[in-house]
Every structure is written in structure tokens, then in C-alpha cells.
């Protein structure tokens, strides 16, 4: 019987484990997920949790509700090292064997070597990051209420999001609504608050195909008090603000950084071929330079026959997971491997509770209120796929009713 280890319980890791348990019987393989948490975090909804629009329970999916626990073993542990030659993985003093390994540890923020960014900005990538943002923003309001110096007060009430991609726009969209509530709670005027997106590229949402759709999103945010700065590269960050390449200084106690990601540093200790961004290089079967190890999702670097790189999207993670699981099953049971052929459907981005931007294959790009129910439908499909009808109704209860 073969031992299959999956490291990482995010979108890709969960999909890989579910597929493996479907393709293989209990006599074919032991399937083990190694993850330090006991639940999957619904990461695409983290901005809602950070801004208190959703509870922790609403964005956590317990693994016992996702897997057939008769088929899957969960080891609550943080894997820190892989020995490719010995086929062992390690966490502190513990070691585990494997015959096949799927690495699904995702990515992490890229600070691009900007002085002071890592030390002073609030990264927005993990559940812990979301918790820190929540505590920090509330403290800024509390401190501002008691501030005697007007300059210091304005710094506390200036909230900057660095990066105008999907994550940055969703974070700002949620902040727009949350600061309204915080102003009421602390008896402050809304016009005391400064909200700003700072983007280095010539426009925000660069992967949205229609520029007029992006302009509509910007206009919507402007109506809600958000200043959008494009072609504005951040070159320095301190505890009291940030400096742009133009020389402009923006006094602020809050910079939420969403401006870039890179391969998880977990890959640095693995003796496998990698790309320049630290991601593990894979072929069309999701195989790494070691044929017993597969990498999927954000940690994987795959370029198709048309020289198109695999984007860092949930759909990419899940499709690459399905391919890795299928090919491992074929190696164990006997059968023909299949190659990854990405079928991406596009993206829908929240810009607050009542407005969104969609870029969907077959429908094109559009902005407006109708994007929100479409986003909910996509999320409900995922919840049903992962956890069945129970998780479907749980999502409806948490986010719709």
C-alpha cells in the first residue's frame, strides 16, 4: 500500500485529498493531509472577516465536514522540511514517510525589497493577517478619538491599501463600509477619514479586459470617499507613512499591503527545480523534478505549450490539484496520465457589499450590482463542491439571510 502525503489544506490541498480518496480505495493507498490548522480558511472572504462583516466561523470549513474520515487521515502539524532522497517530511522532531507527495503550501507576500515595507506594512494574505488588520484599524480609531494633536489624528485616520489588484480592491471595498460603522461607533465625522489605493501600474485591476469597467469601479469608490492613485510606486515605508517614487509623502499609520506574492519560502529548503520567483517548476502532469513529488496551485510554476504561465487563482489551484491526484492514482492503479488543460472561467471582485466587477469568459467584463449575486453563486458552488448540501446552506445562512 502506498503512502500519499499532502502538505497544505487550502483550496488546492483540499481538492487533491478529495480527488485522491475518490480515485483510490483503502487498499490502494493511505492518504494523509498535513496541516497546522484543523479547518480550511475560505481565503477569498478574508477581507470580510478583517472588517467584521463575517464571523470566524463563516470563513472556516472544518476538515471533518469536507473529508470522509474513514479514508483520510489528518495530521495537525506544520511540515518544515522535505528530504527528497529519503522520501521523508519533517516537523520539528517528528518525521513521516511518503511514497508520493503533493506540495500545496501556496504563496506568501512579496515586499519587493522596498525599505520598511515588511516591518511597517500590514500584509494581507492569511487569517492571522486579517486578525491583525482588524485589531489595528480599531485601535487607530480609539487612539484618534483621544489624540490631542491634529496631525497625529489625521495619520491615525488615513488608511492606505498598497496594490490595486483583486485583493487590494476587495480590501478597500470592505473598508469603505466598515469605516462608516466605526465613525458612528466613535462619534466621528466621515470626512475625517482618508481612504486611498496606491497602485504602481497605470491602472488598477490590470487583468480586467475593459478599461471602461475599471473606470466605473474607480468612480464607485470615489463616491465612497476613496482616492485612487495609479502609476504611483511606493519606495519607502515607515511607521508614520509612505513615500512614492514621485517624491510625494503620504502620512499614515496604516498601510495594508496587497501588492504582490511570491512562491512560499517553504520551497527554499527542497532540492527541486524552481523558477526565479521561488516557485517549484512542474510539467504538464504537475510532476516536479522528482517524479514522486507534485506541486500545485500558487507554489507551482507551470507554463503551457503556448507559453502562458498558470495564474495564481483558486481555479488554477483546484484544476492542478485534480490533475496531480489523477496522475498519482494512475501510477498506483495503472493507467494513462493526463495533462493539465486549464479551463478558467474568470473572476468576480467585490467592491463593497453592493457593487462588484466581473471578468467572465463568455460574458465579458462588467461592473455593477449584478456582479454580487453572481459572486455568491460561485461561492455557493464551491461550498457545495467541498462540503455538500450542508456547507451550501451554511454559506447562505452566513452571507445571504
Amino acid at each position: 500500500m502506498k503512502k500519499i502525503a499532502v502538505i497544505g489544506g487550502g483550496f488546492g490541498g483540499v481538492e487533491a485529498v478529495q480527488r485522491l480518496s475518490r480515485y483510490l480505495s483503502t487498499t490502494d493507498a493511505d492518504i494523509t493531509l498535513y496541516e497546522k490548522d484543523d479547518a480550511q480558511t475560505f481565503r477569498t472572504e478574508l477581507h470580510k472577516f478583517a472588517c467584521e462583516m463575517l464571523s470566524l466561523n463563516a470563513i472556516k470549513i472544518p476538515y471533518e465536514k469536507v473529508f470522509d474520515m474513514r479514508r483520510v487521515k489528518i495530521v495537525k502539524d506544520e511540515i518544515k522540511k522535505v528530504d527528497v532522497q529519503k522520501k521523508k517530511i519533517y516537523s520539528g522532531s517528528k518525521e513521516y514517510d511518503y511514497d508520493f507527495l503533493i506540495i500545496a503550501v501556496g504563496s506568501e507576500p512579496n515586499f519587493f525589497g522596498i525599505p520598511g515595507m515588511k516591518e511597517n506594512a500590514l500584509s494581507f494574505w492569511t487569517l492571522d493577517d486579517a486578525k491583525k488588520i482588524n485589531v489595528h484599524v480599531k485601535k487607530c480609531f480609539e487612539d484618534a478619538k483621544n489624540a490631542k494633536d491634529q496631525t497625529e489624528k489625521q495619520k491615525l485616520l488615513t488608511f492606505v491599501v498598497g496594490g490595486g489588484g483583486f485583493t487590494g480592491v476587495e480590501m478597500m471595498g470592505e473598508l469603505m463600509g466598515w469605516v462608516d460603522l466605526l465613525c458612528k461607533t466613535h462619534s466621528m465625522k466621515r470626512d475625517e477619514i482618508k481612504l486611498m489605493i496606491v497602485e504602481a501600474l497605470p491602472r488598477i485591476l490590470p487583468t480586467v479586459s475593459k478599461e471602461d469597467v475599471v473606470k466605473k469601479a474607480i468612480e464607485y469608490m470615489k463616491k465612497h470617499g476613496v482616492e485612487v492613485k495609479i502609476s504611483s510606486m511606493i519606495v519607502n515605508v515607515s511607521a508614520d507613512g509612505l513615500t512614492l517614487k514621485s517624491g510625494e509623502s503620504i502620512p499614515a499609520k496604516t498601510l495594508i499591503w496587497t501588492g504582490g506574492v511570491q512562491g512560499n519560502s517553504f520551497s527554499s529548503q527542497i532540492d527541486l527545480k524552481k523558477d526565479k520567483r521561488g516557485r517549484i517548476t512542474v510539467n504538464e502532469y504537475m510532476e516536479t523534478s522528482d517524479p514522486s513529488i507534485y506541486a500545485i496551485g500558487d507554489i507551482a510554476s507551470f507554463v503551457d505549450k503556448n507559453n502562458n504561465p498558470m495564474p495564481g487563482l483558486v481555479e488554477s489551484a483546484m484544476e492542478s490539484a485534480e490533475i496531480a491526484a489523477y496522475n498519482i492514482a494512475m501510477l498506483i492503479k495503472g493507467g494513462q496520465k493526463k495533462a493539465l488543460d486549464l479551463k478558467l472561467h474568470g473572476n468576480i471582485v467585490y467592491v463593497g457589499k453592493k457593487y462588484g466587477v466581473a471578468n467572465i469568459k463568455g460574458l465579458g467584463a462588467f461592473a455593477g450590482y449584478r456582479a454580487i449575486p453572481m459572486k455568491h453563486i460561485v461561492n455557493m458552488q464551491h461550498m457545495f463542491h467541498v462540503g455538500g448540501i450542508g456547507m451550501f446552506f451554511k454559506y447562505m445562512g452566513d452571507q445571504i439571510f
Side-chain angles (χ1 to χ4, degrees):
M1 183 182 294
K2 299 295 184 181
K3 292 182 179 180
I4 305 174
V6 178
I7 304 175
F11 289 107
V14 166
E15 180 72 7
V17 171
Q18 287 187 319
R19 294 282 182 170
L20 286 166
S21 61
R22 189 179 307 168
Y23 297 147
L24 298 167
S25 70
T26 52
T27 58
D28 291 324
D30 282 330
I31 304 165
T32 305
L33 173 67
Y34 296 88
E35 169 58 57
K36 62 182 179 180
D37 203 351
D38 56 4
Q40 179 189 3
T41 299
F42 200 2
R43 283 193 60 255
T44 57
E45 303 295 287
L46 270 180
H47 57 290
K48 295 184 179 181
F49 169 71
C51 298
E52 297 189 350
M53 302 302 167
L54 285 179
S55 68
L56 182 60
N57 180 58
I59 63 165
K60 300 284 277 185
I61 309 173
Y63 291 128
E64 62 265 24
K65 295 186 180 294
V66 173
F67 303 128
D68 180 351
M69 302 307 289
R70 297 167 297 180
R71 292 286 295 110
V72 177
K73 183 180 179 183
I74 309 294
V75 174
K76 191 176 178 182
D77 206 349
E78 183 177 6
I79 301 300
K80 297 181 178 179
K81 182 181 177 183
V82 178
D83 189 320
V84 176
Q85 301 301 321
K86 294 181 180 179
K87 289 193 173 183
K88 290 181 180 292
I89 55 178
Y90 302 87
S91 67
S93 60
K94 293 183 180 180
E95 66 175 51
Y96 309 94
D97 300 317
Y98 69 85
D99 294 299
F100 293 98
L101 173 64
I102 297 179
I103 301 173
V105 295
S107 53
E108 62 188 23
N110 187 345
F111 301 104
F112 299 106
I114 299 170
M117 179 68 80
K118 186 174 183 179
E119 296 80 8
N120 296 299
L122 294 161
S123 58
F124 182 53
W125 198 242
T126 67
L127 179 58
D128 284 342
D129 291 339
K131 290 177 179 177
K132 288 176 183 176
I133 290 169
N134 177 273
V135 171
H136 174 86
V137 171
K138 289 191 292 188
K139 188 175 188 303
C140 283
F141 270 84
E142 290 165 4
D143 290 349
K145 192 173 182 179
N146 300 316
K148 304 299 182 184
D149 181 77
Q150 190 59 38
T151 301
E152 186 68 15
K153 182 177 181 180
Q154 189 58 73
K155 286 182 190 177
L156 288 163
L157 296 179
T158 299
F159 303 95
V160 181
V161 172
F166 291 152
T167 304
V169 169
E170 288 197 325
M171 184 71 240
M172 181 54 75
E174 216 60 51
L175 268 175
M176 291 181 334
W178 192 30
V179 297
D180 288 347
L181 295 174
L182 289 170
C183 283
K184 292 177 182 178
T185 302
H186 293 85
S187 302
M188 289 184 181
K189 295 179 180 178
R190 179 61 176 79
D191 59 11
E192 292 183 274
I193 311 301
K194 284 187 178 180
L195 298 177
M196 187 183 301
I197 288 179
V198 177
E199 170 57 55
L201 295 176
R203 72 167 172 139
I204 65 168
L205 300 174
T207 58
V208 174
S209 58
K210 294 182 179 179
E211 190 167 348
D212 65 313
V213 170
V214 176
K215 288 180 179 178
K216 288 179 181 179
I218 292 173
E219 286 302 315
Y220 181 80
M221 287 190 285
K222 283 183 178 179
K223 288 179 182 177
H224 290 79
V226 179
E227 180 182 359
V228 178
K229 284 182 172 291
I230 55 173
S231 301
S232 300
M233 182 181 293
I234 299 171
V235 295
N236 190 277
V237 182
S238 72
D240 288 313
L242 53 144
T243 304
L244 305 182
K245 189 176 182 180
S246 64
E248 180 183 356
S249 178
I250 301 172
K253 289 289 187 180
T254 305
L255 170 60
I256 300 172
W257 179 243
T258 69
V261 295
Q262 61 188 359
N264 195 301
S265 55
F266 176 86
S267 67
S268 63
Q269 49 75 38
I270 308 173
D271 187 19
L272 296 171
K273 186 178 178 182
K274 306 176 193 73
D275 69 7
K276 293 179 180 179
R277 294 173 58 192
R279 298 175 303 172
I280 300 169
T281 304
V282 297
N283 61 18
E284 67 269 32
Y285 306 115
M286 298 298 102
E287 297 167 336
T288 69
S289 51
D290 183 293
S292 66
I293 301 178
Y294 293 69
I296 61 174
D298 288 356
I299 193 65
S301 176
F302 170 68
V303 180
D304 68 16
K305 58 186 178 183
N306 297 316
N307 207 33
N308 296 315
M310 181 171 70
L313 302 170
V314 172
E315 277 193 301
S316 303
M318 296 181 72
E319 290 186 36
S320 60
E322 192 276 328
I323 293 297
Y326 181 87
N327 290 334
I328 289 173
M330 291 303 100
L331 287 171
I332 293 173
K333 297 174 69 175
Q336 182 134 10
K337 294 186 292 185
K338 65 180 180 181
L340 177 67
D341 182 18
L342 281 172
K343 304 292 185 185
L344 303 177
H345 296 91
N347 293 279
I348 305 173
V349 184
Y350 292 113
V351 190
K353 187 177 181 181
K354 298 179 180 180
Y355 199 86
V357 172
N359 197 50
I360 302 173
K361 186 177 181 180
L363 294 177
F366 58 89
Y369 299 100
R370 62 181 170 137
I372 298 301
M374 294 181 72
K375 179 72 168 178
H376 284 308
I377 289 170
V378 170
N379 286 345
M380 287 188 288
Q381 286 177 332
H382 173 74
M383 296 299 270
F384 181 78
H385 174 77
V386 170
I389 194 68
M391 295 307 296
F392 174 88
F393 282 118
K394 182 181 184 302
Y395 179 91
M396 292 184 70
D398 289 334
Q399 299 220 36
I400 298 176
F401 298 114

